[in-house]
Every structure is written in C-alpha cells, then in structure tokens.
Amino acid sequence: VKKMEEEIRLEWRERAEKQAKAEFIVAKIAETEKIEPTIEDLEKEAKHILSHHKDADPMRVRLFVYQSLRNQKTLEFLETQ
C-alpha cells in the first residue's frame, strides 16, 4: 500500500475514535431510554452461539449478546423517532 506505519496508525485511530464515540452515544441513549433486551432473547441467542462455539466463555458470550441486542433495539428505537 506504500504507506508508512504511522500513516496507517493515524487512519485506524481516527476510525476507532469515531466508532468508540458512536458506541458511547448508543449506550447512553439505551441507558436514558431504559432499553434492554428481554431475558428470553438474551438466553436464546447466547445458547445459539454457545452451541456453535463450545470453548467460548459463557459470561463473555452473554455480555456480547446483551450489548448487541441492546444496540439493535436502540437503533430500532431511533429509527421510529
């Protein structure tokens, strides 16, 4: 790509900062609006992932699923506004 390592780091840093800000904003909206996934959806999705990834840490999977479902529900909420 003929780019110096520092150029690549700068590009990735900018992208990472934008993504982190977006994630923070979505999380804050979810908190303010009290948006939470249902226990049933959380368990169903976690069980599905764990059935395909037997060595995965169940707590990390549940955390990942929780965040993903909450983000999804928050974006759906924002689309209706």
Side-chain angles (χ1 to χ4, degrees):
V1 283
K2 298 184 181 185
K3 291 187 179 185
M4 301 297 291
E5 182 178 342
E6 192 59 36
E7 290 176 295
I8 294 171
R9 285 180 188 261
L10 181 61
E11 286 177 14
W12 286 1
R13 181 184 186 108
E14 290 171 0
R15 206 173 311 151
E17 286 176 354
K18 285 180 184 179
Q19 183 176 354
K21 287 176 184 178
E23 288 179 22
F24 178 76
I25 290 167
V26 170
K28 196 66 176 167
I29 292 169
E31 180 184 326
T32 302
E33 298 295 328
K34 297 178 178 30
I35 297 172
E36 299 284 335
T38 65
I39 297 295
E40 295 81 16
D41 288 343
L42 178 62
E43 289 302 319
K44 177 183 172 190
E45 191 62 31
K47 187 176 181 179
H48 176 75
I49 290 173
L50 288 168
S51 73
H52 292 283
H53 302 279
K54 306 258 187 247
D55 295 335
D57 178 356
M59 284 303 275
R60 287 185 182 199
V61 168
R62 283 181 177 79
L63 179 59
F64 169 77
V65 170
Y66 172 82
Q67 290 173 329
S68 296
L69 291 175
R70 187 170 78 164
N71 287 350
Q72 180 182 347
K73 289 180 75 125
T74 303
L75 293 175
E76 288 170 0
F77 166 78
L78 290 172
E79 288 174 351
T80 64
Q81 300 303 303

